[in-house]
Amino acid sequence: MECLESTAGYVFVVAVFLESQRKFGLKDSHLKASPSFSQLGLSEVVFALSLQAGMVSACLSSSLVYIFDSHQRRGCGWRRYSTNSPNYHIFSTRSTIKLEYEGTSFSEWSVPGTCSVKNKSSPKTELRCFSPGFQTIRPIVTGPDSEEERNLSVDSSHICFLWYYKVIETQKERQRHRQREEKQAPCKKPDVGLNPGNLGSGPVQRNLFHNLTQVIVLWIYDPENADTNELLWNANEPSLYSLILSRQLATLGQKPIIYTTLKRKVYFPHDKMKNGTWRISVPMTSEDVLKEIKGNQVAFQDCFIADFLFLQTFPLLTIPEIPGFLPISSPAGSQLMATWIACVPSYIVVVADMETFQTNDSFRTWIRIRVPPNILTEDERHSISDVNVSRDGIFFLINGVLYIKSFTEFKRLGISENLPNSGIIGITSRKWCWINYLLKAKRRSSMAIWTENEVYLGYTFLKFVKIITTKKLKNLLNISPAATLTIHNVEYPGHPLELALLLNYCTTCRVNKTIYVVIYNEDTEQWVYQDFALDVSIDSFLTPHFIYAAMPELILRDKHRIYYCYHNFTETGVIQTPTEFGNLSRLSNNSIVHDIFMDYYGNVVVKMENNIMFYFKINIRDAIKLHLWTNSTMKSLILLNSSGQIFLIYVFENGTLYPREYPLKLESLSVNFNINEKCPYVAFHNNIFSIFYFLDKGQNLSIWTQIVYPENMGLYIVVESYGPNILQEKDQTHYEIALGYCTKTMTVTFFQNINYEAVDDYFKLQHQNTGLVLVQVRPNEYARACPIAQKVFQIAVGCDSNKFITVKGFNKKDCLQHDFFYVIEKSYLRNQTSKNLRVKYNWKKYGCPLRLDFGEKFHPLLQLYDNNGYVEDVEVNFIVWEIHGRNDYSFNNTMKKSGCLNEAQTWKSMTELNKHLPLEEAWGPENYKHCFSYAIGKPGDLNQPYEIINKSNYNHLVWPEDHSGMYVFRVKILDPNYSFCNLTTVFAIETFGMIPRIIIFSPMEAFLDCITRLNPSYSKFSLCCISLLLSSYDKCKFILLFSSLINNYVSTKTQAF
């Protein structure tokens, strides 16, 4: 156990020491003798990890070591800098920065006077900076060449501690997972390890979106004094130091919560701490996966705890690695390729030129994907050209043929799945996660497959549909039949319902061709040609990367350049560099572009094949070269982990891989410091707390956004929307200036102003005015130094399926539920029948009936609910009807008393008008007309009952006075301007006070009634027994009575025989 930092406080040191003596019987010598993990070198760390995890793939998730290549020249070495904080979350004056240089030419470290180095002449040493700001660090080497310097941005934050979390499952959930694994795995699944720090690992299930509840265990740890297991994020319990730290802060009032950023729900810990930890039960839902651990603003020795953002994904199975199966890979010498599930970025498949790897926890643990022998030839097994992953399995494109590797099989897809047997040139899936979206169509695709002339969409359960051919596209785009039109590439844009096609167009097709873009909307099934054309050489190949934006904005790459298309294709060009006019190959030793990485914060990193990287942000037109980080011969790829941070994955020649975090923010700040680039604005704020909003009829959405900038800069706020023209906007801008800074605040309101009452086609008008609109809010100017480029969110205009109504005072729990039947006399039915109607009461559907005296009127009060609970009392008009056809009830208000000028609609008039429709469809918001105007309706008898109810008209249901009964009503909202949803509910009323003419039977009573009907001489006895039975709750009496009745009945029948 390493020495405790002085900032923790002398009192805390004593507490730790006393607690260690009490709990573990440790002495002072034990504390001093234990080695610090941070003192180990790279080789010792890797060796220790290999022993501990039992596999080469264990990684340093706590930022212990990060390597970068300083120069690609002979005699230069590798430098490393690291901290114990994961993702460089804490990089401050309190942090110990570990420096390491590997190479023979090292002389000493050059550090500023505001920093101190432990051993200046040692290639492995520790650095501490006592003043915040940029600190220039450079290794001095022997020889003619000098090393590149880093400008490390050291913070002065009071954030010192972090939250550590691990996930445990209940015994019931573990048993459920075990049963699923036994059903799905063809053989015993190898142990891939359990990572408590990531919800995507451990025993997992194939169902992506199955609701579970997980218990999250939390404690506080100090990265500067954490033990090895905590730094590696595989601790099962807090270390001694963390145990005392958590208890100490708890006594000061610290208590964590888990906050969901999408639905803004809060989950609190269980009542008491247990072994220095808090436990919080959190349900796992597919619509609220982004969580944040937050604590109270409690400080210890002037140190606070940082909030921690994480993704609570569903446990996902990795495909078992079966002995005897063979490797599958890309061609020899190929660069790495990867695919991941958009909403579960920790679930990744990486294809190298010797193996294919799969992980469910961002490569903390991983397995190899192998295929059975005798299906592919040796060449085919090493010919993967594309890869994709979905809930059905992993798709491989090999020599124009699509294969799938699932939990149970590896097979070739073709004509039987409605796909071509050969000629496929590409597959892709969605790159941006939209958990919620409004879809009027039946389903949304999960992947796209294309040949030169056809495009297919893939859905779950291996369903594929061909949506277009180039022949049809020629007709849609009015292209001459003599011209050549082929599909160049396909990609999903940022919009959750769209698909983009890049098309090759040429006439002679010898030298040049033109690239066009068309976008397909899966909801409207419409193709839209974009105002974009790019002339390239005939052999050029462009790969699109769509930006996380509301508008169709993308970046295109070929081997040497990056093309940008911003603001719905209104601004296009080539990303520029300080020299070479945007040719990245000339700036990277003639290497070519390998991949482009983009995240939700607007960062764009272009990686070359020799691992040189360039950086810019969306809506920026020039890029800068980042510091060299990785050896040029290393196979690497940039990925995103479940915490929203980027990391590099390295694949070695021996078929193993190694993940490492990459401090993009620190590296970009270091480069920007040299060119003195600053953000044009000081602050950019808004109240957009969600990425998805629903708008129903009569609702509006108001947002505000504010920008603060130095005066005379002329900045302003841009609000852009993309989608169907179904919303109106109203904005207002407030401007003020003080102390040399300008503040602009813009308020924007989105709303609809459509009257759906008494229209010719109600449903058509609704359909035309529902849909999905994407909105983005951004400043008009950016810079790479700005933190976040823009805010993107959806407005769904339509029916929220989570909305429902209830009648106040009714539920399905506060009553004794048992099977019983009742009979409705035929004279009480709406449609006169020849027989009485016998009904079985359905408790699950109808709930608990409300018992009312027959003289007591009833006024239903409707309440609206959604996922978050109660919303409001419903004040608009609604109608009720008895679902079994009863009409022996009425209303206390008449049409005249309600204020009608003409005869109002009634169930009788509406069913006569719509005889072709069932009762529940005969009257509704689609055909409602009010009676309060002489221009609507016709004169009539206004003394009829008024059958429409609302909250304020005091219209009540009244009951017959000559009999009691059971009534089951359905309610429907009648107001056409209230909701896009067909809001209905059911409630039941049982009246009493008169001798019932309807006998209520349980199944046993029904049998007795049958006996009575068979033998009339036993009527009086049977009725007497039933009365006694209904008034008695004693089981013994019931059994004796029933036995006596049966015996008497059998005896009588025997004598008669």
Side-chain angles (χ1 to χ4, degrees):
M1 186 176 185
E2 67 178 350
C3 296
L4 304 176
E5 296 292 341
S6 59
T7 53
Y10 175 78
V11 176
F12 190 67
V13 175
V14 174
V16 173
F17 177 70
L18 293 177
E19 180 68 10
S20 65
Q21 287 184 320
R22 182 190 66 79
K23 187 174 181 180
F24 301 102
L26 298 177
K27 297 182 179 180
D28 185 49
S29 58
H30 294 149
L31 292 175
K32 293 180 180 178
S34 300
S36 168
F37 185 76
S38 62
Q39 296 172 350
L40 298 177
L42 175 62
S43 59
E44 291 90 343
V45 169
V46 175
F47 179 71
L49 285 170
S50 301
L51 291 178
Q52 184 176 5
M55 57 193 304
V56 183
S57 63
C59 70
L60 299 176
S61 63
S62 56
S63 308
L64 289 175
V65 178
Y66 290 92
I67 303 173
F68 59 86
D69 183 8
S70 58
H71 280 284
Q72 305 296 324
R73 294 193 297 268
R74 184 170 57 89
C76 295
W78 294 357
R79 281 188 290 161
R80 309 176 179 116
Y81 70 95
S82 62
T83 68
N84 288 340
S85 174
N87 299 313
Y88 291 85
H89 198 86
I90 301 176
F91 201 84
S92 66
T93 54
R94 188 178 182 271
S95 302
T96 300
I97 305 171
K98 301 176 182 65
L99 301 178
E100 186 171 353
Y101 183 93
E102 287 189 0
T104 59
S105 59
F106 177 80
S107 177
E108 65 178 18
W109 294 99
S110 173
V111 299
T114 54
C115 299
S116 66
V117 63
K118 191 173 184 180
N119 188 347
K120 193 174 185 180
S121 59
S122 173
K124 296 180 181 180
T125 188
E126 293 181 357
L127 174 75
R128 293 187 69 100
C129 295
F130 306 104
S131 297
F134 285 93
Q135 311 295 340
T136 302
I137 311 297
R138 183 171 61 89
I140 299 175
V141 296
T142 59
D145 298 326
S146 62
E147 287 287 351
E148 190 178 24
E149 64 184 17
R150 288 294 199 281
N151 301 292
L152 300 183
S153 176
V154 179
D155 197 6
S156 61
S157 172
H158 287 276
I159 298 295
C160 309
F161 309 132
L162 297 173
W163 290 107
Y164 189 100
Y165 79 96
K166 67 183 293 288
V167 179
I168 61 174
E169 293 178 304
T170 63
Q171 184 177 0
K172 182 178 180 180
E173 289 166 352
R174 285 195 296 268
Q175 183 179 2
R176 183 188 303 168
H177 289 169
R178 193 178 301 113
Q179 292 173 351
R180 282 194 181 89
E181 289 180 350
E182 291 173 355
K183 292 180 180 179
Q184 294 168 355
C187 64
K188 189 176 186 300
K189 177 179 178 292
D191 183 14
V192 297
L194 176 64
N195 166 34
N198 192 293
L199 298 175
S201 62
V204 290
Q205 60 185 27
R206 187 179 182 183
N207 236 344
L208 286 180
F209 304 121
H210 183 83
N211 289 344
L212 295 172
T213 297
Q214 289 188 332
V215 177
I216 298 181
V217 181
L218 299 167
W219 67 83
I220 304 164
Y221 78 105
D222 181 358
E224 297 300 313
N225 297 285
D227 72 358
T228 303
N229 290 328
E230 289 174 326
L231 293 177
L232 296 177
W233 211 261
N234 58 15
N236 292 319
E237 61 182 9
S239 64
L240 178 61
Y241 190 97
S242 300
L243 178 71
I244 302 301
L245 178 63
S246 299
R247 288 179 175 174
Q248 181 71 29
L249 282 165
T251 60
L252 296 175
Q254 184 58 261
K255 195 172 186 179
I257 62 169
I258 292 182
Y259 172 80
T260 67
T261 59
L262 297 179
K263 293 194 173 181
R264 290 180 282 177
K265 293 185 177 181
V266 179
Y267 298 95
F268 297 92
H270 302 172
D271 293 336
K272 296 180 180 179
M273 289 187 72
K274 184 177 180 181
N275 299 324
T277 65
W278 293 273
R279 299 191 174 207
I280 304 179
S281 297
V282 180
M284 300 170 60
T285 63
S286 60
E287 298 179 350
D288 205 11
V289 297
L290 198 59
K291 308 290 195 299
E292 188 173 15
I293 304 172
K294 294 185 174 184
N296 298 330
Q297 293 299 318
V298 176
F300 178 70
Q301 295 292 323
D302 293 330
C303 283
F304 293 88
I305 310 170
D307 295 339
F308 190 85
L309 188 71
F310 68 97
L311 192 71
Q312 186 192 23
T313 63
F314 289 87
L316 302 175
L317 272 177
T318 52
I319 298 177
E321 184 177 337
I322 300 175
F325 279 21
L326 302 175
I328 185 170
S329 69
S330 57
S334 300
Q335 293 293 317
L336 302 182
M337 65 180 78
T339 182
W340 59 91
I341 297 178
C343 292
V344 191
S346 58
Y347 194 87
I348 310 167
V349 174
V350 170
V351 178
D353 60 356
M354 83 294 291
E355 290 280 0
T356 296
F357 309 91
Q358 184 186 15
T359 181
N360 55 17
D361 56 10
S362 300
F363 286 104
R364 295 179 186 275
T365 60
W366 51 269
I367 62 172
R368 297 176 179 89
I369 297 297
R370 302 287 180 94
V371 297
N374 304 322
I375 294 181
L376 299 174
T377 65
E378 180 72 15
D379 290 338
E380 288 173 336
R381 283 196 299 106
H382 301 290
S383 300
I384 297 176
S385 58
D386 211 343
V387 63
N388 189 50
V389 64
S390 76
R391 64 178 301 174
D392 292 316
I394 304 173
F395 295 89
F396 296 105
L397 182 59
I398 301 174
N399 296 338
V401 179
L402 194 62
Y403 296 83
I404 182 172
K405 170 69 174 175
S406 65
F407 291 87
T408 57
E409 62 180 345
F410 176 77
K411 73 172 184 176
R412 174 174 177 165
L413 303 178
I415 195 68
S416 59
E417 288 82 18
N418 196 33
L419 284 174
N421 287 324
S422 61
I424 298 175
I425 61 176
I427 56 177
T428 190
S429 60
R430 300 183 189 277
K431 301 300 187 296
W432 301 112
C433 176
W434 290 104
I435 296 176
N436 294 316
Y437 48 87
L438 180 66
L439 180 64
K440 293 188 287 185
K442 293 182 179 179
R443 55 184 178 175
R444 185 181 76 144
S445 67
S446 58
M447 64 181 298
I449 306 102
W450 67 95
T451 66
E452 279 194 351
N453 301 297
E454 298 173 331
V455 179
Y456 298 79
L457 291 183
Y459 305 89
T460 54
F461 309 112
L462 298 182
K463 302 295 183 182
F464 300 95
V465 176
K466 181 165 64 176
I467 60 169
I468 199 68
T469 64
T470 52
K471 184 178 179 180
K472 292 182 179 179
L473 282 171
K474 281 186 178 182
N475 296 331
L476 291 173
L477 302 177
N478 295 321
I479 293 177
S480 170
T484 300
L485 187 71
T486 59
I487 297 171
H488 181 84
N489 214 327
V490 177
E491 188 56 272
Y492 284 99
H495 195 288
L497 304 178
E498 291 187 341
L499 179 72
L501 272 61
L502 272 65
L503 303 175
N504 293 318
Y505 170 79
C506 57
T507 52
T508 59
C509 301
R510 294 179 181 176
V511 180
N512 293 326
K513 62 182 178 181
T514 303
I515 303 295
Y516 292 121
V517 177
V518 293
I519 292 181
Y520 173 72
N521 188 292
E522 293 188 51
D523 201 20
T524 62
E525 298 183 352
Q526 292 181 346
W527 293 90
V528 179
Y529 170 75
Q530 304 299 316
D531 186 15
F532 174 81
L534 179 64
D535 294 327
V536 296
S537 61
I538 195 67
D539 59 344
S540 294
F541 184 77
L542 298 177
T543 301
H545 298 266
F546 277 87
I547 295 169
Y548 180 69
M551 319 291 287
E553 302 181 10
L554 75 154
I555 293 169
L556 295 163
R557 65 175 170 93
D558 59 17
K559 291 183 178 181
H560 312 290
R561 287 181 172 84
I562 307 298
Y563 305 87
Y564 64 85
C565 306
Y566 295 149
H567 307 147
N568 200 10
F569 297 96
T570 58
E571 296 184 18
T572 60
V574 177
I575 295 293
Q576 294 298 310
T577 53
T579 60
E580 303 301 340
F581 304 101
N583 191 319
L584 303 183
S585 295
R586 295 177 183 174
L587 296 173
S588 55
N589 301 324
N590 295 321
S591 182
I592 63 175
V593 178
H594 170 211
D595 197 15
I596 292 180
F597 169 85
M598 294 187 292
D599 63 12
Y600 292 89
Y601 304 104
N603 296 306
V604 182
V605 180
V606 181
K607 179 190 168 297
M608 310 300 286
E609 287 190 351
N610 64 355
N611 295 320
I612 292 177
M613 293 185 287
F614 297 87
Y615 172 74
F616 62 99
K617 284 201 169 187
I618 61 174
N619 298 316
I620 300 296
R621 296 159 184 79
D622 60 291
I624 56 174
K625 187 177 180 180
L626 292 173
H627 299 302
L628 297 172
W629 186 265
T630 305
N631 188 295
S632 62
T633 60
M634 181 71 69
K635 296 288 182 65
S636 66
L637 196 65
I638 307 174
L639 297 170
L640 192 70
N641 64 22
S642 59
S643 297
Q645 304 296 325
I646 74 171
F647 70 99
L648 290 167
I649 189 75
Y650 299 129
V651 176
F652 301 97
E653 295 297 332
N654 61 355
T656 61
L657 53 78
Y658 197 75
R660 287 175 181 152
E661 295 168 352
Y662 177 68
L664 177 61
K665 181 180 178 180
L666 290 174
E667 290 295 282
S668 62
L669 288 175
S670 177
V671 177
N672 284 330
F673 178 79
N674 289 330
I675 60 178
N676 197 26
E677 184 182 63
K678 296 182 179 179
C679 185
Y681 53 86
V682 178
F684 182 65
H685 301 294
N686 57 72
N687 69 337
I688 304 169
F689 301 118
S690 176
I691 59 173
F692 184 81
Y693 295 92
F694 246 117
L695 278 190
D696 210 337
K697 295 176 181 177
Q699 294 181 337
N700 61 67
L701 173 66
S702 292
I703 63 168
W704 63 262
T705 181
Q706 184 181 82
I707 186 170
V708 181
Y709 58 92
E711 61 179 328
N712 300 323
M713 289 290 293
L715 300 185
Y716 56 91
I717 300 169
V718 179
V719 179
E720 299 167 308
S721 60
Y722 176 78
N725 187 22
I726 56 177
L727 285 176
Q728 293 179 273
E729 297 180 22
K730 183 179 180 181
D731 63 81
Q732 183 178 4
T733 302
H734 176 74
Y735 176 82
E736 63 182 35
I737 183 171
L739 302 176
Y741 288 93
C742 300
T743 300
K744 285 183 181 178
T745 304
M746 174 184 283
T747 303
V748 184
T749 302
F750 301 91
F751 62 96
Q752 272 193 343
N753 190 19
I754 300 173
N755 185 7
Y756 294 90
E757 186 175 345
V759 296
D760 294 333
D761 194 332
Y762 173 81
F763 295 110
K764 180 180 178 180
L765 184 63
Q766 275 200 146
H767 189 271
Q768 291 174 346
N769 289 281
T770 56
L772 189 65
V773 178
L774 269 67
V775 181
Q776 64 187 21
V777 180
R778 61 179 178 85
N780 68 311
E781 290 186 15
Y782 295 104
R784 285 180 294 267
C786 299
I788 297 177
Q790 58 191 17
K791 192 76 173 182
V792 182
F793 62 97
Q794 300 180 63
I795 302 177
V797 182
C799 173
D800 182 358
S801 59
N802 296 314
K803 278 187 175 181
F804 63 95
I805 57 172
T806 63
V807 180
K808 186 178 181 179
F810 290 81
N811 59 67
K812 298 182 179 181
K813 298 179 180 179
D814 297 340
C815 55
L816 180 63
Q817 299 186 10
H818 58 283
D819 291 342
F820 73 91
F821 298 79
Y822 63 95
V823 176
I824 303 176
E825 190 172 310
K826 59 184 179 182
S827 61
Y828 304 151
L829 296 174
R830 186 185 305 275
N831 299 321
Q832 298 294 325
T833 60
S834 58
K835 296 180 179 180
N836 296 339
L837 179 64
R838 191 165 179 264
V839 178
K840 179 182 179 181
Y841 191 86
N842 190 323
W843 292 93
K844 185 176 181 180
K845 290 184 178 180
Y846 310 152
C848 301
L850 176 65
R851 301 190 75 241
L852 294 176
D853 185 273
F854 72 94
E856 185 178 355
K857 297 180 293 184
F858 179 69
H859 179 79
L861 176 60
L862 302 188
Q863 294 182 323
L864 180 68
Y865 287 82
D866 62 13
N867 262 358
N868 297 319
Y870 170 81
V871 177
E872 64 181 7
D873 288 348
V874 178
E875 299 185 356
V876 300
N877 291 340
F878 60 90
I879 52 177
V880 300
W881 69 96
E882 214 283 333
I883 65 174
H884 297 118
R886 299 188 73 138
N887 66 347
D888 57 330
Y889 62 92
S890 187
F891 301 85
N892 69 319
N893 279 2
T894 64
M895 298 179 187
K896 183 176 182 180
K897 184 178 179 181
S898 299
C900 289
L901 301 177
N902 278 329
E903 186 176 316
Q905 293 174 327
T906 63
W907 276 110
K908 181 179 180 180
S909 64
M910 296 306 292
T911 51
E912 289 179 356
L913 187 64
N914 300 287
K915 294 180 179 180
H916 60 291
L917 296 176
L919 178 66
E920 60 271 14
E921 297 179 13
W923 193 9
E926 66 274 12
N927 54 18
Y928 167 70
K929 296 179 181 180
H930 65 80
C931 62
F932 307 111
S933 172
Y934 289 112
I936 300 176
K938 59 183 180 179
D941 182 9
L942 300 185
N943 292 317
Q944 300 178 67
Y946 185 64
E947 299 182 1
I948 300 172
I949 308 175
N950 60 46
K951 182 180 178 181
S952 59
N953 69 356
Y954 301 104
N955 200 8
H956 292 70
L957 292 166
V958 295
W959 319 108
E961 297 181 354
D962 59 339
H963 62 273
S964 300
M966 179 71 73
Y967 300 83
V968 181
F969 291 100
R970 180 169 292 279
V971 181
K972 179 194 286 188
I973 299 294
L974 191 61
D975 192 322
N977 290 313
Y978 184 69
S979 177
F980 290 105
C981 303
N982 182 26
L983 297 172
T984 66
T985 189
V986 175
F987 68 96
I989 300 290
E990 181 186 5
T991 62
F992 65 92
M994 299 292 294
I995 299 176
R997 299 177 62 181
I998 299 174
I999 302 175
I1000 300 177
F1001 299 94
S1002 69
M1004 194 64 71
E1005 296 160 23
F1007 183 77
L1008 297 177
D1009 180 68
C1010 179
I1011 296 176
T1012 303
R1013 294 177 186 276
L1014 289 174
N1015 193 343
S1017 64
Y1018 279 83
S1019 272
K1020 294 182 180 179
F1021 178 72
S1022 299
L1023 290 175
C1024 178
C1025 293
I1026 291 171
S1027 300
L1028 179 60
L1029 182 65
L1030 291 175
S1031 62
S1032 173
Y1033 291 93
D1034 186 40
K1035 293 183 178 179
C1036 296
K1037 290 182 181 180
F1038 175 83
I1039 294 172
L1040 292 173
L1041 177 62
F1042 181 73
S1043 299
S1044 175
L1045 180 61
I1046 295 299
N1047 291 335
N1048 290 335
Y1049 175 74
V1050 173
S1051 175
T1052 303
K1053 288 295 183 182
T1054 304
Q1055 292 175 3
F1057 181 79

